[in-house]
Amino acid sequence: MTWWRFLAAAELRKILAFRADFWVTFIGQALVQLLIARALWQSIFAANETGVMNGFTLQTMTLYYLIVPIGQKILTGENVGFLSREIYDGTFSRYLIYPLSFFQYKATTYLTHSAFYGIQLVLIFSVYNLLTGTTGFTTLVPGILLFLVAAFAYMSIAMIVELLALWADNIWSLMVLVRFFCLFFGGGYVPLTFFPETVQRALVYTPFPYLVSLPVRTTMGLAQTHEIVRGSLVLLLWALLFHLGAQLIWTRGQYKYTGVGI
Amino acid sequence: MDLIYYAVNIAFFKVLFLHTELIGGWSSEQMMVFVGSYLLVDAVNMTVFSTNMWWLPFYINRGELDYYLTRPISPLFFLSLREFAANSFVNLLVALGIFIHAIAVYSGPWEFGHLVGLVLLLVNGVLIFYCIQMLMIIPVFWTQSARGFVDLFYTLGIAMERPDRIYRGWLRVFFTVIMPFALIASYPARIFLEGFTPEVLFHLTAVSAGLWIIMLGLWRLGLRNYASASS
């Protein structure tokens, strides 16, 4: 078994270790967020006495909020503190004796989480499709692929912030701040078409729309082919840029690591 | 971090009100009173209970609850209020500022008695929030890991951040009776914005008391199941 398959299998066993947690998280979170979002938008659509708002019907809005919470989990992979915790308690030293670099190790465990949530998305999307028969499955594959690239980009952003733990005593707040920013400006709370025009135009020059909005809209079949192709290229570019940033910070920061912890 | 949470919540409704006049029957101004209310409840919870709630599952799992059970004081009281998050106190002041600002700029009619009612019911809202949080932590006595339930609590917490009138049918029953997140800030805001109604007050009292009794009962049941040794 190659090292990454072994590592991914071990990580999967960890994810599934507490089955009650797993089912509560899987069913509960997705369902609750969907129901609350649907209730809110139902009220807004009713107040406006309209069937379509900024390109969304109530049904497509429901699907949007069905995908967003799982997409968010694909994106954020492991929990906040996946690197900083180890730096703070000194267990980061174990990577010195591992037969693979810490980047390879962390990327594999992180993306295993993302891939696992990707499977959850396939399941939920399939159930929704069977119940409503409103969307096809053809958009699911490019959607999931975009989510995984977005997860790699977000992981690199997270690594940059988490590695700041080599200098700072607390990066938790910063990490949560990044999460809020990515979700809000990525369209995780409200679809980006509802943002003011100027904000939408400005956001095109940031990675945020490509992290959340593009993969969600691609999965839903709302994105045009040229939009997906262009968006994928931009996303790959951002992912590469952030990855290089994380490498640079690691190169500088590793000399700060004492192995003692704080 | 909490300041960003406040900003995102305000921005969320500001963006929505670019496209609608009313949400759940409330205008933008009224919504800000509601937003200020739930941010205040959240800030009080973060300052008073949050740290203690974070550590509770660890104490149960590691068998460290023994130390608290042998003390001549109610373990629930001690464990819930042991640590005061001084760093969150600054955020509490900001949340209070947002709340006061929302009340100050509100141009609709209101009475002083309604404001007092709002403040008192927000205190009750904090207790409801605490009770629900405990209900999500207590299963750790049986399941060993509370993460799924705690995550679910934070997800359900979004229900507190929406006006209760958006919920219809069984969802309304769920969020106003079973997991009464809608009673934390939305009902109190209604008292301020729309005046007292006996039905709302009765509902709030009955559900709050019922929730408190259930939480205490489950806590005692959990303690009976506590094996002391770590798992």
Side-chain angles (χ1 to χ4, degrees):
Chain A
M1 195 184 265
T2 49
W3 63 263
W4 67 268
R5 280 170 66 187
F6 180 81
L7 200 53
E11 202 59 28
L12 272 178
R13 279 199 297 276
K14 262 200 272 179
I15 296 170
L16 292 166
F18 294 103
R19 287 196 173 79
D21 271 3
F22 167 74
W23 286 109
V24 168
T25 310
F26 178 31
I27 308 286
Q29 285 192 349
L31 199 66
V32 167
Q33 289 195 42
L34 170 73
L35 290 174
I36 296 172
R38 188 178 159 89
L40 176 73
W41 284 99
Q42 216 162 11
S43 142
I44 294 172
F45 273 92
N48 285 284
E49 294 173 346
T50 179
V52 183
M53 286 182 78
N54 293 51
F56 282 87
T57 62
L58 184 60
Q59 196 159 17
T60 50
M61 194 62 90
T62 305
L63 183 59
Y64 188 88
Y65 282 98
L66 180 75
I67 298 171
V68 161
I70 309 167
Q72 182 187 335
K73 288 171 89 67
I74 295 175
L75 207 65
T76 51
E78 280 191 271
N79 273 331
V80 171
F82 74 106
L83 281 183
S84 56
R85 206 171 32 235
E86 296 183 8
I87 293 170
Y88 290 139
D89 63 21
T91 52
F92 202 60
S93 314
R94 63 190 171 133
Y95 299 103
L96 292 172
I97 54 164
Y98 280 11
L100 66 163
S101 77
F102 110 90
F103 262 104
Q104 287 172 321
Y105 184 95
K106 282 296 168 188
T108 307
T109 54
Y110 191 102
L111 293 175
T112 302
H113 280 257
S114 299
F116 184 75
Y117 296 128
I119 295 167
Q120 287 190 347
L121 178 59
V122 173
L123 282 174
I124 286 204
F125 192 83
S126 305
V127 171
Y128 179 86
N129 234 341
L130 286 173
L131 291 176
T132 62
T134 44
T135 51
F137 285 95
T138 46
T139 53
L140 191 58
V141 176
I144 296 274
L145 286 175
L146 264 177
F147 263 125
L148 290 177
V149 180
F152 182 78
Y154 185 85
M155 178 193 74
S156 302
I157 299 173
M159 275 183 171
I160 290 175
V161 180
E162 294 267 339
L163 282 171
L164 292 179
L166 291 161
W167 289 272
D169 288 347
N170 184 359
I171 57 96
W172 188 80
S173 305
L174 197 58
M175 201 52 234
V176 176
L177 186 123
V178 167
R179 188 176 283 203
F180 267 132
F181 256 82
C182 289
L183 278 176
F184 186 76
F185 291 113
Y189 291 94
V190 185
L192 291 180
T193 51
F194 284 80
F195 280 54
E197 276 289 320
T198 44
V199 178
Q200 284 186 51
R201 274 201 299 272
L203 283 176
V204 174
Y205 300 100
T206 70
F208 306 125
Y210 309 102
L211 291 173
V212 186
S213 185
L214 181 71
V216 175
R217 292 178 63 249
T218 304
T219 311
M220 290 173 68
L222 292 179
Q224 305 288 321
T225 312
H226 71 272
E227 199 184 341
I228 298 171
V229 174
R230 188 183 157 276
S232 307
L233 290 173
V234 175
L235 184 59
L236 276 169
L237 206 66
W238 278 114
L240 191 70
L241 209 65
F242 288 128
H243 183 66
L244 288 175
Q247 291 272 13
L248 187 72
I249 288 184
W250 168 239
T251 311
R252 294 276 176 93
Q254 57 185 309
Y255 300 109
K256 292 274 178 189
Y257 181 64
T258 59
V260 180
I262 59 169
Chain B
M1 192 276 287
D2 283 8
L3 301 183
I4 296 295
Y5 165 73
Y6 302 160
V8 164
N9 272 273
I10 293 169
F12 173 76
F13 283 108
K14 291 284 180 199
V15 170
L16 289 184
F17 275 107
L18 292 174
H19 304 276
T20 184
E21 293 288 313
L22 297 170
I23 298 176
W26 283 339
S27 65
S28 176
E29 251 188 2
Q30 291 172 318
M31 190 63 78
M32 282 306 121
V33 173
F34 165 63
V35 171
S37 300
Y38 76 69
L39 293 184
L40 192 58
V41 170
D42 178 78
V44 172
N45 175 66
M46 290 299 284
T47 309
V48 181
F49 297 115
S50 177
T51 313
N52 301 300
M53 296 294 103
W54 170 260
W55 285 112
L56 187 52
F58 295 103
Y59 292 150
I60 296 169
N61 271 338
R62 293 177 190 161
E64 289 175 21
L65 212 58
D66 303 6
Y67 171 77
Y68 300 93
L69 295 176
T70 52
R71 296 228 147 188
I73 189 171
S74 157
L76 182 62
F77 175 80
F78 192 31
L79 285 160
S80 302
L81 298 168
R82 205 172 68 102
E83 278 187 49
F84 177 85
N87 54 339
S88 294
F89 185 70
V90 180
N91 299 329
L92 173 58
L93 293 179
V94 175
L96 187 64
I98 295 169
F99 176 73
I100 292 171
H101 179 261
I103 301 280
V105 299
Y106 178 60
S107 59
W110 59 276
E111 294 169 23
F112 183 72
H114 294 166
L115 180 62
V116 174
L118 169 64
V119 173
L120 288 176
L121 290 175
L122 285 180
V123 173
N124 184 61
V126 172
L127 291 176
I128 294 175
F129 197 69
Y130 162 75
C131 279
I132 303 175
Q133 201 168 357
M134 278 301 294
L135 284 176
M136 293 291 176
I137 291 173
I138 288 171
V140 82
F141 280 111
W142 294 274
T143 63
Q144 277 74 53
S145 167
R147 199 183 142 194
F149 285 100
V150 171
D151 283 355
L152 183 62
F153 167 74
Y154 287 116
T155 308
L156 282 167
I158 302 169
M160 171 182 81
E161 300 164 4
R162 306 287 178 261
D164 69 276
R165 286 213 181 89
I166 66 166
Y167 305 122
R168 307 242 173 245
W170 61 268
L171 197 61
R172 181 164 188 82
V173 176
F174 186 79
F175 284 130
T176 57
V177 180
I178 300 166
M179 282 284 154
F181 280 96
L183 307 193
I184 294 170
S186 187
Y187 270 46
R190 268 170 67 179
I191 296 278
F192 175 76
L193 298 167
E194 298 158 21
F196 287 94
T197 57
E199 295 84 19
V200 170
L201 276 177
F202 175 75
H203 186 114
L204 269 168
T205 314
V207 173
S208 306
L211 195 66
W212 186 255
I213 291 165
I214 291 168
M215 190 274 288
L216 283 181
L218 276 173
W219 170 254
R220 285 185 190 134
L221 204 66
L223 282 183
R224 242 177 270 155
N225 194 63
Y226 175 61
S228 185
S230 58
S231 58

mmCIF file of all heavy atoms in Angstrom, chain A residues 10 15-17 21 30-31 38 51 56 64 80 91 94 99-100 105 116 118 125 130 138 156 159 161 188 203 234 236:
data_model
loop_
_atom_site.group_PDB
_atom_site.id
_atom_site.type_symbol
_atom_site.label_atom_id
_atom_site.label_comp_id
_atom_site.label_asym_id
_atom_site.label_seq_id
_atom_site.Cartn_x
_atom_site.Cartn_y
_atom_site.Cartn_z
ATOM 1 N N ALA A 10 -6.189 5.440 7.383
ATOM 2 C CA ALA A 10 -6.117 5.686 8.833
ATOM 3 C C ALA A 10 -6.991 6.880 9.210
ATOM 4 O O ALA A 10 -7.679 6.870 10.234
ATOM 5 C CB ALA A 10 -4.668 5.932 9.243
ATOM 6 N N ILE A 15 -12.221 9.358 11.278
ATOM 7 C CA ILE A 15 -13.472 10.097 11.037
ATOM 8 C C ILE A 15 -14.669 9.262 11.476
ATOM 9 O O ILE A 15 -15.623 9.764 12.057
ATOM 10 C CB ILE A 15 -13.614 10.474 9.528
ATOM 11 C CG1 ILE A 15 -12.500 11.436 9.118
ATOM 12 C CG2 ILE A 15 -14.971 11.100 9.234
ATOM 13 C CD1 ILE A 15 -12.424 11.670 7.606
ATOM 14 N N LEU A 16 -14.586 7.951 11.204
ATOM 15 C CA LEU A 16 -15.728 7.080 11.482
ATOM 16 C C LEU A 16 -15.691 6.447 12.869
ATOM 17 O O LEU A 16 -16.524 5.609 13.201
ATOM 18 C CB LEU A 16 -15.807 5.981 10.417
ATOM 19 C CG LEU A 16 -16.171 6.477 9.016
ATOM 20 C CD1 LEU A 16 -15.895 5.407 7.976
ATOM 21 C CD2 LEU A 16 -17.623 6.910 8.951
ATOM 22 N N ALA A 17 -14.698 6.856 13.675
ATOM 23 C CA ALA A 17 -14.532 6.236 15.002
ATOM 24 C C ALA A 17 -15.762 6.447 15.879
ATOM 25 O O ALA A 17 -16.220 5.546 16.563
ATOM 26 C CB ALA A 17 -13.289 6.772 15.682
ATOM 27 N N ASP A 21 -21.478 10.683 16.450
ATOM 28 C CA ASP A 21 -21.031 12.010 16.010
ATOM 29 C C ASP A 21 -21.197 12.170 14.509
ATOM 30 O O ASP A 21 -21.690 13.170 14.010
ATOM 31 C CB ASP A 21 -19.529 12.180 16.319
ATOM 32 C CG ASP A 21 -19.322 12.749 17.693
ATOM 33 O OD1 ASP A 21 -20.326 12.941 18.401
ATOM 34 O OD2 ASP A 21 -18.165 12.982 18.053
ATOM 35 N N ALA A 30 -26.614 19.369 7.933
ATOM 36 C CA ALA A 30 -27.064 19.710 6.576
ATOM 37 C C ALA A 30 -28.555 20.022 6.568
ATOM 38 O O ALA A 30 -28.997 21.011 5.970
ATOM 39 C CB ALA A 30 -26.755 18.549 5.634
ATOM 40 N N LEU A 31 -29.318 19.192 7.274
ATOM 41 C CA LEU A 31 -30.771 19.345 7.288
ATOM 42 C C LEU A 31 -31.187 20.628 8.001
ATOM 43 O O LEU A 31 -32.025 21.388 7.502
ATOM 44 C CB LEU A 31 -31.388 18.131 7.991
ATOM 45 C CG LEU A 31 -32.853 17.877 7.721
ATOM 46 C CD1 LEU A 31 -33.067 17.496 6.267
ATOM 47 C CD2 LEU A 31 -33.377 16.757 8.621
ATOM 48 N N ARG A 38 -34.240 27.775 4.094
ATOM 49 C CA ARG A 38 -35.461 27.722 3.273
ATOM 50 C C ARG A 38 -36.576 28.555 3.907
ATOM 51 O O ARG A 38 -37.283 29.293 3.199
ATOM 52 C CB ARG A 38 -35.913 26.273 3.086
ATOM 53 C CG ARG A 38 -37.045 26.168 2.083
ATOM 54 C CD ARG A 38 -37.492 24.761 1.815
ATOM 55 N NE ARG A 38 -38.841 24.769 1.272
ATOM 56 C CZ ARG A 38 -39.143 24.864 -0.017
ATOM 57 N NH1 ARG A 38 -38.177 24.962 -0.902
ATOM 58 N NH2 ARG A 38 -40.386 24.872 -0.431
ATOM 59 N N GLY A 51 -41.529 35.146 -7.888
ATOM 60 C CA GLY A 51 -41.066 33.770 -7.998
ATOM 61 C C GLY A 51 -39.570 33.679 -8.242
ATOM 62 O O GLY A 51 -38.962 32.628 -8.011
ATOM 63 N N PHE A 56 -32.572 33.402 -8.866
ATOM 64 C CA PHE A 56 -32.884 32.231 -8.038
ATOM 65 C C PHE A 56 -34.387 32.099 -7.823
ATOM 66 O O PHE A 56 -35.057 33.076 -7.479
ATOM 67 C CB PHE A 56 -32.227 32.361 -6.654
ATOM 68 C CG PHE A 56 -30.760 32.055 -6.646
ATOM 69 C CD1 PHE A 56 -29.830 33.051 -6.929
ATOM 70 C CD2 PHE A 56 -30.300 30.781 -6.333
ATOM 71 C CE1 PHE A 56 -28.471 32.779 -6.910
ATOM 72 C CE2 PHE A 56 -28.943 30.505 -6.323
ATOM 73 C CZ PHE A 56 -28.028 31.502 -6.612
ATOM 74 N N TYR A 64 -29.260 25.457 -3.378
ATOM 75 C CA TYR A 64 -28.042 26.215 -3.050
ATOM 76 C C TYR A 64 -27.670 25.993 -1.579
ATOM 77 O O TYR A 64 -26.533 25.686 -1.245
ATOM 78 C CB TYR A 64 -28.299 27.703 -3.313
ATOM 79 C CG TYR A 64 -27.071 28.591 -3.194
ATOM 80 C CD1 TYR A 64 -26.249 28.795 -4.292
ATOM 81 C CD2 TYR A 64 -26.748 29.223 -2.006
ATOM 82 C CE1 TYR A 64 -25.134 29.619 -4.203
ATOM 83 C CE2 TYR A 64 -25.635 30.036 -1.902
ATOM 84 C CZ TYR A 64 -24.835 30.241 -3.011
ATOM 85 O OH TYR A 64 -23.727 31.040 -2.915
ATOM 86 N N VAL A 80 -10.096 23.787 12.675
ATOM 87 C CA VAL A 80 -9.157 24.873 12.981
ATOM 88 C C VAL A 80 -8.139 24.338 13.976
ATOM 89 O O VAL A 80 -8.495 23.629 14.909
ATOM 90 C CB VAL A 80 -9.930 26.070 13.600
ATOM 91 C CG1 VAL A 80 -8.962 27.106 14.133
ATOM 92 C CG2 VAL A 80 -10.866 26.688 12.581
ATOM 93 N N THR A 91 4.290 18.539 19.498
ATOM 94 C CA THR A 91 4.222 17.252 18.788
ATOM 95 C C THR A 91 4.545 17.377 17.300
ATOM 96 O O THR A 91 4.604 16.385 16.581
ATOM 97 C CB THR A 91 2.816 16.603 18.934
ATOM 98 O OG1 THR A 91 1.838 17.569 18.554
ATOM 99 C CG2 THR A 91 2.561 16.149 20.344
ATOM 100 N N ARG A 94 7.313 15.215 15.449
ATOM 101 C CA ARG A 94 7.188 13.852 14.904
ATOM 102 C C ARG A 94 7.414 13.792 13.398
ATOM 103 O O ARG A 94 7.806 12.755 12.871
ATOM 104 C CB ARG A 94 5.840 13.255 15.260
ATOM 105 C CG ARG A 94 4.641 13.970 14.684
ATOM 106 C CD ARG A 94 3.372 13.431 15.307
ATOM 107 N NE ARG A 94 2.213 14.237 14.940
ATOM 108 C CZ ARG A 94 1.075 13.718 14.518
ATOM 109 N NH1 ARG A 94 0.944 12.427 14.397
ATOM 110 N NH2 ARG A 94 0.061 14.509 14.225
ATOM 111 N N PRO A 99 8.572 9.228 7.240
ATOM 112 C CA PRO A 99 9.220 9.045 5.934
ATOM 113 C C PRO A 99 8.612 9.928 4.838
ATOM 114 O O PRO A 99 8.771 9.649 3.664
ATOM 115 C CB PRO A 99 8.960 7.561 5.651
ATOM 116 C CG PRO A 99 7.705 7.259 6.374
ATOM 117 C CD PRO A 99 7.666 8.137 7.577
ATOM 118 N N LEU A 100 7.871 10.961 5.234
ATOM 119 C CA LEU A 100 7.312 11.894 4.247
ATOM 120 C C LEU A 100 7.274 13.274 4.868
ATOM 121 O O LEU A 100 7.309 13.405 6.099
ATOM 122 C CB LEU A 100 5.918 11.461 3.791
ATOM 123 C CG LEU A 100 4.778 11.485 4.801
ATOM 124 C CD1 LEU A 100 3.451 11.434 4.056
ATOM 125 C CD2 LEU A 100 4.838 10.312 5.733
ATOM 126 N N TYR A 105 2.032 14.950 4.408
ATOM 127 C CA TYR A 105 1.214 14.333 5.445
ATOM 128 C C TYR A 105 -0.072 15.132 5.652
ATOM 129 O O TYR A 105 -1.176 14.586 5.623
ATOM 130 C CB TYR A 105 2.015 14.259 6.750
ATOM 131 C CG TYR A 105 1.287 13.552 7.873
ATOM 132 C CD1 TYR A 105 1.508 12.200 8.118
ATOM 133 C CD2 TYR A 105 0.385 14.236 8.688
ATOM 134 C CE1 TYR A 105 0.834 11.539 9.140
ATOM 135 C CE2 TYR A 105 -0.290 13.596 9.703
ATOM 136 C CZ TYR A 105 -0.056 12.243 9.935
ATOM 137 O OH TYR A 105 -0.727 11.615 10.939
ATOM 138 N N PHE A 116 -14.030 12.823 1.762
ATOM 139 C CA PHE A 116 -15.096 12.140 2.495
ATOM 140 C C PHE A 116 -16.390 12.976 2.480
ATOM 141 O O PHE A 116 -17.479 12.453 2.245
ATOM 142 C CB PHE A 116 -14.633 11.894 3.932
ATOM 143 C CG PHE A 116 -15.625 11.119 4.748
ATOM 144 C CD1 PHE A 116 -15.787 9.761 4.551
ATOM 145 C CD2 PHE A 116 -16.413 11.752 5.682
ATOM 146 C CE1 PHE A 116 -16.717 9.041 5.279
ATOM 147 C CE2 PHE A 116 -17.344 11.047 6.420
ATOM 148 C CZ PHE A 116 -17.496 9.683 6.222
ATOM 149 N N GLY A 118 -17.049 15.091 0.284
ATOM 150 C CA GLY A 118 -17.457 15.066 -1.129
ATOM 151 C C GLY A 118 -18.418 13.905 -1.384
ATOM 152 O O GLY A 118 -19.419 14.044 -2.102
ATOM 153 N N PHE A 125 -27.011 14.942 -2.640
ATOM 154 C CA PHE A 125 -27.433 15.446 -3.942
ATOM 155 C C PHE A 125 -28.284 14.389 -4.663
ATOM 156 O O PHE A 125 -29.300 14.713 -5.284
ATOM 157 C CB PHE A 125 -26.189 15.797 -4.773
ATOM 158 C CG PHE A 125 -26.477 16.578 -6.015
ATOM 159 C CD1 PHE A 125 -26.644 17.950 -5.962
ATOM 160 C CD2 PHE A 125 -26.573 15.946 -7.244
ATOM 161 C CE1 PHE A 125 -26.902 18.673 -7.110
ATOM 162 C CE2 PHE A 125 -26.823 16.666 -8.398
ATOM 163 C CZ PHE A 125 -26.987 18.036 -8.331
ATOM 164 N N LEU A 130 -33.469 12.361 -6.518
ATOM 165 C CA LEU A 130 -34.481 11.314 -6.590
ATOM 166 C C LEU A 130 -35.831 11.827 -6.110
ATOM 167 O O LEU A 130 -36.875 11.482 -6.655
ATOM 168 C CB LEU A 130 -34.054 10.107 -5.742
ATOM 169 C CG LEU A 130 -32.936 9.242 -6.334
ATOM 170 C CD1 LEU A 130 -32.484 8.196 -5.335
ATOM 171 C CD2 LEU A 130 -33.420 8.568 -7.623
ATOM 172 N N THR A 138 -25.102 15.312 -14.335
ATOM 173 C CA THR A 138 -23.937 15.625 -15.166
ATOM 174 C C THR A 138 -23.078 16.742 -14.571
ATOM 175 O O THR A 138 -21.888 16.797 -14.814
ATOM 176 C CB THR A 138 -24.390 16.055 -16.578
ATOM 177 O OG1 THR A 138 -25.453 16.998 -16.434
ATOM 178 C CG2 THR A 138 -24.825 14.880 -17.415
ATOM 179 N N SER A 156 -4.256 25.615 1.690
ATOM 180 C CA SER A 156 -3.011 26.392 1.607
ATOM 181 C C SER A 156 -3.155 27.713 2.357
ATOM 182 O O SER A 156 -2.220 28.144 3.035
ATOM 183 C CB SER A 156 -2.648 26.649 0.144
ATOM 184 O OG SER A 156 -2.523 25.421 -0.523
ATOM 185 N N MET A 159 -2.975 26.838 5.927
ATOM 186 C CA MET A 159 -1.598 26.518 6.327
ATOM 187 C C MET A 159 -0.802 27.788 6.595
ATOM 188 O O MET A 159 -0.034 27.858 7.554
ATOM 189 C CB MET A 159 -0.912 25.694 5.240
ATOM 190 C CG MET A 159 -1.186 24.217 5.345
ATOM 191 S SD MET A 159 -0.267 23.343 4.085
ATOM 192 C CE MET A 159 -0.532 21.646 4.580
ATOM 193 N N VAL A 161 -1.904 30.639 7.622
ATOM 194 C CA VAL A 161 -2.326 31.208 8.912
ATOM 195 C C VAL A 161 -1.872 30.321 10.067
ATOM 196 O O VAL A 161 -1.350 30.814 11.070
ATOM 197 C CB VAL A 161 -3.862 31.399 8.938
ATOM 198 C CG1 VAL A 161 -4.305 31.990 10.257
ATOM 199 C CG2 VAL A 161 -4.301 32.295 7.795
ATOM 200 N N GLY A 188 -21.324 32.063 0.857
ATOM 201 C CA GLY A 188 -21.790 31.000 1.740
ATOM 202 C C GLY A 188 -22.995 31.395 2.568
ATOM 203 O O GLY A 188 -23.780 30.542 2.978
ATOM 204 N N LEU A 203 -15.029 41.613 -5.963
ATOM 205 C CA LEU A 203 -14.761 40.245 -5.486
ATOM 206 C C LEU A 203 -14.149 39.346 -6.554
ATOM 207 O O LEU A 203 -13.473 38.370 -6.234
ATOM 208 C CB LEU A 203 -16.056 39.605 -4.960
ATOM 209 C CG LEU A 203 -16.519 40.065 -3.569
ATOM 210 C CD1 LEU A 203 -17.860 39.445 -3.212
ATOM 211 C CD2 LEU A 203 -15.487 39.739 -2.497
ATOM 212 N N VAL A 234 -8.486 30.280 -12.759
ATOM 213 C CA VAL A 234 -8.207 31.299 -11.737
ATOM 214 C C VAL A 234 -8.023 30.629 -10.374
ATOM 215 O O VAL A 234 -7.100 30.956 -9.626
ATOM 216 C CB VAL A 234 -9.346 32.350 -11.679
ATOM 217 C CG1 VAL A 234 -9.117 33.334 -10.545
ATOM 218 C CG2 VAL A 234 -9.469 33.087 -12.997
ATOM 219 N N LEU A 236 -7.070 27.548 -9.763
ATOM 220 C CA LEU A 236 -5.790 26.832 -9.749
ATOM 221 C C LEU A 236 -4.629 27.785 -9.496
ATOM 222 O O LEU A 236 -3.691 27.476 -8.755
ATOM 223 C CB LEU A 236 -5.583 26.096 -11.080
ATOM 224 C CG LEU A 236 -6.258 24.732 -11.180
ATOM 225 C CD1 LEU A 236 -6.227 24.228 -12.607
ATOM 226 C CD2 LEU A 236 -5.577 23.729 -10.249
#
